[in-house]
Amino acid sequence: MKMQVKLPQLAPEMASAVIVAWLKAEGEPVAAGEALFEVETDKVVSSVEAEAAGTLEKILVPAGEACSVGSVVAEIEG
Amino acid sequence: MQKEPKAPVHSPCQGCAEKRQASQRARQQSAEFPTLAKPKWLKVKYNPGATREVVELMNQYQLNTVCKEANCPNLGECYSRRTATFMILGEQCTRSCRFCNVLSGRPAPPDPAEPEHLAAAAKTLGLLHVVVTSVTRDDLPDGGASQFVAVVEALRRELPQATIELLIPDLRGRWEALETILAAGPDVLNHNVETVPELYHEIRPQAIYERSLEVLSRAADYAVEHPLPRGRMLVKTGLMLGLGESDEQLSRVFRDLVAHRVDVLTLGQYLQPSPQHAPVRRYVSPEEFDRYREEALAAGLSFVAAAPFVRSSYRAEEALAQVRAESSAPAN
Amino acid sequence: MGKFIFSKEQSAAYHLALEAYLHEQAIARDESFALIYVNRPTVVYGRAQNPYREVDWVQATERGVALHRRISGGGAVYHDEGVLNYAFFVPRRQALVLNYAYFLEPLRAVLRELGLASEILRKSNLYVAGRKISGNAQALGAEVIMSHGTILFSANTELLEALLHSPSAQVDRVAVPSDIACVKNLREILAERGHELSLGDLTQLWLDYLERVGLGGESFQEGSLSPELETLVRQDYLPRFLSRAWNFGRTAPFQLRISTPEALRADYGEKFPRHWQLSIREAVIESCRAADESEGAAALAFGRLLENCPLGYKELRQALAPLGDESVSLWLPAFSS
């Protein structure tokens, strides 16, 4: 079952963030609660955890790119 | 204009499957939000005579007006006020925003004759205020900035009395490209924020809210540091309402715009160009538009045009004249 | 009751490793910490920054200034004996995310007591008398927040300005750029108002405030780090912050444009390309081509010297050695603008 990973809203006024790094590669397994990627917004770097277990199937927004809150950044095959 | 997907005559390939999925999604969306009946304040009378002269000229010079491309309801009125909006850099856009009627696809290289043709057409039409916009050209290293500059230069040569307004894309944050556009000296720099940040991922997926705000504040800083002979360059932005935004979300945007030193705001009703585009979530009444206008003015914006049919360049020349008149020093 | 720890070390790499340890191990889940430290001359840049663009890295190396990447976001900052660094580690609360004002309150209170008004601009910068004296950044963990910053007290501002780049126009802007503003040493601002203070004095006032009033109602008492913790930090965390992969490798691929040094153009002749386009990936020069795309023998030979050369001081020196020592010392600054 394909699950979408979206850029979460870390703070009320946050509209977008830069993807700093992907901590997993495409094809790698991901555990629920495991840190999946890091983002930066307004000088804050935050790691974002995977909500459910599965395999990281596709990274849609590569490291170094900015995207809006709510955008789908990756897909996980659960 | 988008074409309806044809019934497959061969075994369905990925392209057809994707098109079918897209129309299925569009139908599902309409089912969730049954198409709202257009309210009576949105019914419009077209005046074909007024626009014929312009359409013929556009064809002659192989030019595009976004008025035609975007199906603008104000077609007749603007032309009669000697304002027109030209779209440069082709008809194909490198993005796929969900509100826009312009075709997405792979665009052709810029036409070096375009600036001259545009200036000649503007001169023949006797335009007083020329608005120049473009499709978004992420494929070009400078985002198309040099073409904008060439157009401004050609217009200044052919029509020195006309005021020039540029409605630009975000140039993907390439600030030195923006700088070249600002240095060309337009009278108005317009960049549309389009909607509230919460809807960006859905409506403007390839854009970033803060980046659009930064385009505006950089333009504002430039305007202050480089006064023009006729008055300071104005900074303008616009939003479409009815995409699903809330009052609170709009209030936040008004505050952000003032903080980024925007002068002029336009608010208009979003109209769905086709079933494949984002649905209209609400029709905002003229009274509600007035309320938003009051709120935006109170927040600190200098000029706000807010009504169902307002588009970015609606009465653009009026806004420019008014703000310049208000801010010019009394006769000394 | 939180703990503050005053580090006696002077190594930026060690302090960055210590911060990473305290943050990643979520030490503040149970107890708030404040770490105070001073570094030897170092430029510390943000998690997502491209050091090659943000810092004059060749000059930094030649002037003995270290270069290190930290775990939090934001821009490049200069540290030396005149800069006080602080890092707060607190349990995560939504109200504190992106809330720099909360963590700046102790410093603002001390300044108020000294008769100085301060303002927070662009969320994370503290300004006094129109000049920036403190920059801040955060890292968010699932259960904890680290919010840290610098106080520019009596730094070598000549070196700071020489090494840090203002946000000039950059063609490919993928990494996060610095936000260099008009910085000024706090000591000077205080002296102009009749206060003669040393960095030690300011630090003492700041720590007194933390003890008396604290942060968000929680006061801090002096504490220390156990030897076991220090050993763990040095063994498990320090290597990362000393590694080239962390400091330079984690940079998104970019294009670097350099120019043949003026002084050498006469020697090389008219045909030798004036500008070069380098493709950098993982801090290695993937390719070096003449910017005008000419492919004469000299252009190709020069390109070959640099192909696959890591973009680093020692490595470039070695790769360019065939050109002779004098030429090499003229070439090196060309690689960092």
Side-chain angles (χ1 to χ4, degrees):
Chain A
M1 197 196 75
K2 202 182 281 196
M3 291 174 296
Q4 293 182 323
V5 179
K6 296 187 180 171
L7 180 66
Q9 176 134 37
L10 298 169
E13 300 259 303
M14 174 185 164
S16 65
V18 173
I19 307 282
V20 173
W22 282 95
L23 303 172
K24 294 277 176 184
E26 283 180 357
E28 266 193 78
V30 174
E34 199 177 356
L36 185 56
F37 62 107
E38 287 181 333
V39 300
E40 175 168 347
T41 183
D42 267 324
K43 310 200 182 198
V44 183
V45 170
S46 181
S47 52
V48 182
E49 287 95 35
E51 284 173 17
T55 310
L56 177 58
E57 195 173 276
K58 197 155 172 43
I59 291 175
L60 298 166
V61 182
E65 296 251 316
C67 60
S68 298
V69 167
S71 317
V72 181
V73 297
E75 282 166 351
I76 289 189
E77 189 62 42
Chain B
M1 279 299 292
Q2 303 267 4
K3 292 204 183 96
E4 288 297 296
K6 292 201 181 99
V9 294
H10 49 274
S11 50
C13 68
Q14 186 59 17
C16 298
E18 278 173 2
K19 278 189 190 147
R20 256 206 305 282
Q21 277 167 21
S23 17
Q24 256 174 14
R25 268 199 302 272
R27 270 198 297 279
Q28 263 169 7
Q29 270 184 340
S30 323
E32 285 163 21
F33 294 91
T35 317
L36 306 171
K38 272 207 188 124
K40 59 182 186 306
W41 62 75
L42 277 181
K43 303 257 161 75
V44 151
K45 286 193 270 248
Y46 282 92
N47 181 355
T51 64
R52 206 175 351 108
E53 177 198 353
V54 178
V55 171
E56 274 166 14
L57 208 78
M58 292 299 145
N59 287 335
Q60 183 190 339
Y61 282 96
Q62 293 167 333
L63 290 168
N64 290 321
T65 58
V66 71
C67 323
K68 187 164 61 81
E69 294 291 329
N71 263 352
C72 182
N74 300 318
L75 217 61
E77 188 177 346
C78 295
Y79 288 162
S80 66
R81 295 168 71 91
R82 299 289 169 200
T83 297
T85 301
F86 294 87
M87 190 160 75
I88 61 173
L89 293 166
E91 292 175 324
Q92 308 259 40
C93 185
T94 47
R95 299 204 188 170
S96 48
C97 306
R98 297 264 289 124
F99 54 82
C100 179
N101 199 32
V102 170
L103 289 171
S104 300
R106 201 180 308 141
D111 173 10
E114 187 170 53
E116 294 304 325
H117 284 160
L118 193 156
K123 186 170 178 178
T124 308
L125 282 170
L127 293 181
L128 296 169
H129 184 76
V130 185
V131 182
V132 184
T133 188
S134 74
V135 291
T136 298
R137 294 297 301 260
D138 294 321
D139 60 310
L140 297 172
D142 70 349
S146 51
Q147 192 82 331
F148 272 105
V149 171
V151 165
V152 173
E153 285 167 0
L155 281 169
R156 291 291 187 216
R157 273 197 304 273
E158 297 297 319
L159 266 185
Q161 296 314 310
T163 45
I164 300 176
E165 177 170 331
L166 300 181
L167 171 53
I168 63 170
D170 65 14
L171 305 169
R172 290 214 95 191
R174 277 171 277 209
W175 306 120
E176 79 292 347
L178 174 63
E179 179 102 1
T180 62
I181 292 180
L182 298 172
D187 297 276
V188 183
L189 193 290
N190 188 349
H191 173 68
N192 287 336
V193 164
E194 305 289 14
T195 185
V196 297
E198 290 80 358
L199 291 175
Y200 262 55
H201 72 275
E202 191 188 314
I203 301 291
R204 266 192 107 190
Q206 292 109 334
I208 303 285
Y209 177 65
E210 289 96 337
R211 187 183 284 160
S212 283
L213 288 179
E214 193 171 347
V215 170
L216 296 167
S217 59
R218 280 178 180 256
D221 289 341
Y222 190 93
V224 165
E225 286 157 24
H226 301 88
L228 297 167
R230 281 194 283 223
R232 183 173 60 78
M233 178 183 82
L234 287 199
V235 178
K236 184 171 170 188
T237 193
L239 277 93
M240 293 167 296
L241 303 186
L243 286 160
E245 68 290 327
S246 74
D247 282 357
E248 261 149 32
Q249 292 168 347
L250 283 172
S251 300
R252 178 263 183 92
V253 172
F254 296 160
R255 282 195 305 273
D256 285 347
L257 294 178
V258 173
H260 285 75
R261 306 178 286 290
V262 172
D263 300 300
V264 181
L265 171 66
T266 63
L267 297 173
Q269 171 69 51
Y270 167 66
L271 297 173
Q272 186 178 18
S274 85
Q276 275 73 34
H277 288 82
V280 178
R281 299 282 196 237
R282 64 167 171 158
Y283 285 106
V284 179
S285 70
E287 292 74 35
E288 284 172 291
F289 268 106
D290 283 341
R291 211 177 26 85
Y292 289 131
R293 181 174 174 273
E294 290 309 314
E295 191 189 330
L297 286 170
L301 286 150
S302 301
F303 185 99
V304 180
F309 281 128
V310 164
R311 294 290 175 269
S312 309
S313 46
Y314 184 69
R315 307 226 169 173
E317 72 292 347
E318 196 179 299
L320 177 60
Q322 184 176 315
V323 180
R324 278 206 172 144
E326 281 167 8
S327 54
S328 62
N332 46 344
Chain C
M1 179 71 75
K3 280 231 207 30
F4 71 78
I5 296 145
F6 199 172
S7 168
K8 296 297 189 291
E9 290 289 339
Q10 286 188 307
S11 151
Y14 170 75
H15 290 130
L16 290 174
L18 178 54
E19 282 182 344
Y21 175 87
L22 293 172
H23 177 67
E24 288 171 19
Q25 298 301 322
I27 301 295
R29 199 193 292 120
D30 309 313
E31 179 179 38
S32 297
F33 276 83
L35 177 67
I36 297 102
Y37 59 94
V38 173
N39 286 328
R40 276 190 291 273
T42 310
V43 171
V44 178
Y45 44 92
R47 182 73 177 76
Q49 286 201 300
N50 179 345
Y52 297 109
R53 286 222 187 286
E54 301 301 325
V55 192
D56 188 337
W57 57 280
V58 170
Q59 200 187 153
T61 310
E62 288 176 348
R63 293 177 78 165
V65 176
L67 295 161
H68 287 285
R69 186 190 295 285
R70 61 178 183 264
I71 62 172
S72 64
V77 286
Y78 172 77
H79 292 186
D80 68 14
E81 299 79 4
V83 177
L84 183 69
N85 304 292
Y86 55 86
F88 286 103
F89 301 86
V90 300
R92 180 168 173 164
R93 267 195 295 131
Q94 191 49 42
L96 301 182
V97 175
L98 273 135
N99 181 351
Y100 295 97
Y102 179 87
F103 298 97
L104 279 167
E105 188 46 36
L107 178 57
R108 301 189 75 190
V110 167
L111 291 172
R112 246 177 266 132
E113 281 166 27
L114 290 167
L116 282 178
S118 60
E119 48 173 351
I120 297 178
L121 293 179
R122 288 186 316 279
K123 293 215 182 106
S124 58
N125 304 294
L126 191 66
Y127 279 69
V128 173
R131 307 294 282 267
K132 175 170 163 177
I133 59 145
S134 173
N136 296 270
Q138 287 186 348
L140 292 187
E143 299 166 286
V144 293
I145 300 179
M146 174 184 80
S147 190
H148 64 175
T150 56
I151 302 174
L152 199 74
F153 191 78
S154 51
N156 181 342
T157 47
E158 178 274 316
L159 197 45
L160 184 160
E161 278 161 26
L163 298 180
L164 299 181
H165 291 145
S166 29
S168 57
Q170 286 162 14
V171 178
D172 47 314
R173 185 178 139 123
V174 174
V176 174
S178 284
D179 137 280
I180 312 290
C182 318
V183 296
K184 189 168 178 175
N185 277 317
L186 181 57
R187 179 197 241 162
E188 244 183 272
I189 300 175
L190 288 167
E192 282 163 9
R193 282 156 184 77
H195 296 291
E196 293 294 333
L197 269 105
S198 68
L199 181 53
D201 295 333
L202 181 79
T203 310
Q204 202 51 57
L205 287 171
W206 194 78
L207 289 172
D208 283 347
Y209 181 89
L210 279 188
E211 270 181 308
R212 258 186 310 124
V213 183
L215 201 64
E218 181 187 24
S219 59
F220 287 70
Q221 248 185 356
E222 179 148 22
S224 60
L225 297 171
S226 68
E228 293 80 28
L229 190 150
E230 293 205 40
T231 310
L232 250 160
V233 170
R234 284 183 202 281
Q235 272 174 356
D236 295 350
Y237 277 77
L238 187 55
R240 184 202 323 176
F241 291 90
L242 289 171
S243 74
R244 188 185 153 74
W246 168 261
N247 289 314
F248 297 97
R250 282 171 189 247
T251 295
F254 68 103
Q255 297 295 307
L256 181 64
R257 204 179 141 98
I258 69 170
S259 305
T260 304
E262 283 261 5
L264 291 172
R265 277 203 241 143
D267 292 349
Y268 292 163
E270 275 303 306
K271 292 246 175 73
F272 194 77
R274 289 195 162 189
H275 304 288
W276 303 85
Q277 188 89 348
L278 280 66
S279 250
I280 317 287
R281 178 178 285 274
E282 289 296 311
V284 171
I285 302 174
E286 254 186 348
S287 72
C288 169
R289 300 209 170 87
D292 59 8
E293 289 167 22
S294 65
E295 295 201 335
L300 292 176
F302 186 73
R304 250 179 277 122
L305 274 182
L306 291 175
E307 222 164 88
N308 295 320
C309 178
L311 192 57
Y313 193 84
K314 280 197 314 269
E315 295 87 343
L316 281 176
R317 234 209 153 83
Q318 207 171 353
L320 294 172
L323 299 175
D325 279 349
E326 258 188 58
S327 298
V328 173
S329 35
L330 287 169
W331 267 109
L332 284 169
F335 287 84
S336 91
S337 27

